[in-house]
Amino acid sequence: MFNKILIANRGEIALRIIRACRDLGIKTLAVYSEADEKSLHVQQADEAICIGSGPATESYLRMDRIISAAEIGDVDAIHPGYGFLAENPHFAEICANCNIKFIGPKATILKKMGNKAMARFHARKVGVPVAPGSDGIVESEKEALKISHQIGYPVIIKAVAGGGGRGMRIAHNDVSLVQGFVAAKLEAEKSFGDGSLYIEKLIEDPRHVEFQILADTKGKIVHVGERDCSIQRRNQKLVEESPSPIVDPALRKRMGKTSIRLAESVDYEGVGTVEYLVDKAGNFYFIEMNCRIQVEHPVTEEVYGVDLVKEQILVAAGYSIGKEWEELEPKKHAIEFRVNSEDGLQDFRPSAGKIDFLHLPGGPGIRVDSHLYQGIEISPYYDSMLAKIIAIGNSRDEAIARMNRALNETIIEGVKTTIPIGKSVFQNTDFKTGDYTTNLINKILAAKKSLDEH
């Protein structure tokens, strides 16, 4: 087992990893930017080292400074969390060369599956269905136009690296394609240090369903069910639930087997998520594999009674997956809502500032993963997520009722949040019946705008 782990991240995921390490008796070293000096993960870790100024390019994306901190702190392993360097093959290689365990897939796997264009190509090669699109990286606007004309509009432009909806634009014609290509490239370069893009045919009004994978270093791979991530704004997830209302046991078995087959084809190790779009006819198409822990992992933990972060650390340390993982079945229903510092009624405009007053929800069936405390400054440098509220019930209806209760209890003053839009989602008839698509937020906002105008 590891003696000490450096956490190369911030916010709620850094705190989540600290908790898992404490359960396992592992010491932690936090790295932080000057903007995060008073952050909760810095206070809770056993040790902490400042690695630079506020912008991520000067801190959380600085491999040299993170490795220096690891050597000063004499750590055995580095946990990258999600985002930042979590799927960076070069960083995984540097860790290996420095004899520090990277808690994630090997660099060779990240090169193949962390790069979304290469992952598409590989998935198609091993018989996993994919949507029409480019065969690899699209180098120029001219090439992007040519591919878009071949597959037909609408198309979606995507960054090969990273996630969280960054580096992603939808285009319905040549003008929006060129504009979107330039904007996506700049955003991807800023967020992930890699502006490479690829193009896919846009499947309109789909469901976004992902499968959780866990693989040990001895070749055993299992899936831990699915999450429905269809409630999104600007191609970023806002609500996730498990099990998916549209996945029956037969489809779960089929999609689960497909996900394991893909993971086996690259000798996958650690936790990962295979993501699909499901159309109205029930056909599913691979879109990407996230080679890291996901933001929405708590819903799977609550539904299946597992600790995915703890297991991620255990398999990285060489432990085998137990036989009990082969027999897991969903026991509960869980829904996660991301509370972001954004104004949902003003095109989700970011809102930075000081948290003047804070009350987070509790009671039966409510879990909150957050790094917030009263008085903390919300920096404009990073992702806008403040908290994840997870509602758990014996049925979907009970989980929805508990989420409504939780959102009504939550008080966050000092910044705008997505809570008002969340209340609208959980009271929406289409959501309540489970008959929704990735377009639900747009429909809710359009209805609000129409009411305001009249």
Side-chain angles (χ1 to χ4, degrees), residues 112-113 122-123 126 128 221 260-268:
K112 186 171 281 186
M113 302 308 290
H122 179 77
V126 297
V128 176
I221 303 177
I260 290 172
R261 183 168 81 245
L262 180 64
E264 286 175 340
S265 72
V266 294
D267 298 320
Y268 196 80

Side-chain angles (χ1 to χ4, degrees), residues 284-304:
F284 60 92
Y285 305 92
F286 170 81
I287 48 174
E288 63 187 43
M289 184 170 190
N290 286 305
C291 303
R292 52 173 167 79
I293 195 73
Q294 290 277 85
V295 174
E296 57 270 24
H297 73 272
V299 293
T300 298
E301 292 184 328
E302 297 299 335
V303 167
Y304 286 87

Side-chain angles (χ1 to χ4, degrees), residues 50 97 215 248 293 296 360 376 416:
C50 182
N97 291 338
D248 60 22
I293 195 73
E296 57 270 24
L360 294 173
I376 193 173
K416 296 279 189 179

Side-chain angles (χ1 to χ4, degrees), residues 348-369:
F348 296 95
R349 185 184 301 158
S351 175
K354 184 180 178 181
I355 302 297
D356 298 320
F357 183 82
L358 175 69
H359 176 75
L360 294 173
I366 296 298
R367 165 180 169 179
V368 180
D369 283 17

Side-chain angles (χ1 to χ4, degrees), residues 251-318:
L251 184 57
R252 181 174 299 119
K253 186 175 182 181
R254 195 153 52 97
M255 293 181 76
K257 280 186 174 180
T258 301
S259 303
I260 290 172
R261 183 168 81 245
L262 180 64
E264 286 175 340
S265 72
V266 294
D267 298 320
Y268 196 80
E269 294 177 5
V271 296
T273 305
V274 186
E275 304 208 11
Y276 303 94
L277 293 180
V278 183
D279 66 19
K280 292 170 184 175
N283 303 304
F284 60 92
Y285 305 92
F286 170 81
I287 48 174
E288 63 187 43
M289 184 170 190
N290 286 305
C291 303
R292 52 173 167 79
I293 195 73
Q294 290 277 85
V295 174
E296 57 270 24
H297 73 272
V299 293
T300 298
E301 292 184 328
E302 297 299 335
V303 167
Y304 286 87
V306 297
D307 184 331
L308 287 170
V309 178
K310 183 177 171 182
E311 291 301 322
Q312 182 186 22
I313 294 168
L314 287 171
V315 296

Side-chain angles (χ1 to χ4, degrees), residues 26 28 79 102 176 192 194 265-266 322 368 426 429:
I26 300 169
T28 53
H79 197 308
F102 178 80
S176 59
F192 317 119
D194 183 353
S265 72
V266 294
V368 180
F426 297 114
T429 301

